[in-house]
Amino acid sequence: QVQFVESGGGLVQPGGSLRLSCTISGPAFSPLMWAWYRQIPGEERKLVAWITAGSSTDYSDSVYGRFTISRNNRERTLYLQMNDLKPEDTAVYYCNRRPVTWAWGQGTQVTVSS
């Protein structure tokens, strides 16, 4: 059974930083592409950042240059370093494979507000 446990969210002021973590249990971790997604209430979940098995990365235009995705294969953990946060980054953040393959975890709430 696949489990995603996201953590690290919270309330932060505009311009601040947060580091999200996602521990993944179940499938083989290292050969797969993983991603971070986010969802604002009333909207569809959207892809934010992804990382290949070889650790190549890419980002949505809205976070490019501010967010950094990384992975630790030994710890089966995915990270998202978020800098220069903006109010529009407020959302629940989730991890999953890219493409989405398994049921979602509980996510972690990120709120950017002064």
Side-chain angles (χ1 to χ4, degrees):
Q1 183 176 351
V2 179
Q3 272 196 317
F4 301 103
V5 180
E6 300 95 343
S7 62
L11 173 63
V12 63
Q13 292 187 343
S17 297
L18 285 172
R19 188 190 193 209
L20 306 184
S21 300
C22 173
T23 301
I24 301 166
S25 60
F29 181 87
S30 56
L32 302 182
M33 182 186 303
W34 298 100
W36 284 96
Y37 304 79
R38 68 186 182 187
Q39 186 171 29
I40 300 169
E43 297 187 11
E44 290 186 355
R45 208 169 332 229
K46 296 180 180 178
L47 180 63
V48 173
W50 57 101
I51 184 165
T52 69
S55 293
S56 296
T57 60
D58 209 350
Y59 304 88
S60 66
D61 289 345
S62 60
V63 307
Y64 194 89
R66 300 187 296 121
F67 290 12
T68 302
I69 187 172
S70 60
R71 60 192 292 164
N72 185 317
N73 290 340
R74 183 176 58 188
E75 295 183 357
R76 301 177 59 89
T77 302
L78 190 67
Y79 299 99
L80 186 67
Q81 177 67 42
M82 306 187 296
N83 298 329
D84 189 24
L85 282 160
K86 305 176 185 298
E88 52 264 40
D89 295 318
T90 296
V92 179
Y93 285 72
Y94 303 86
C95 59
N96 209 314
R97 185 182 177 187
R98 187 183 185 206
V100 175
T101 304
W102 295 290
W104 299 97
Q106 83 287 353
T108 186
Q109 174 71 49
V110 172
T111 303
V112 185
S113 175
S114 55

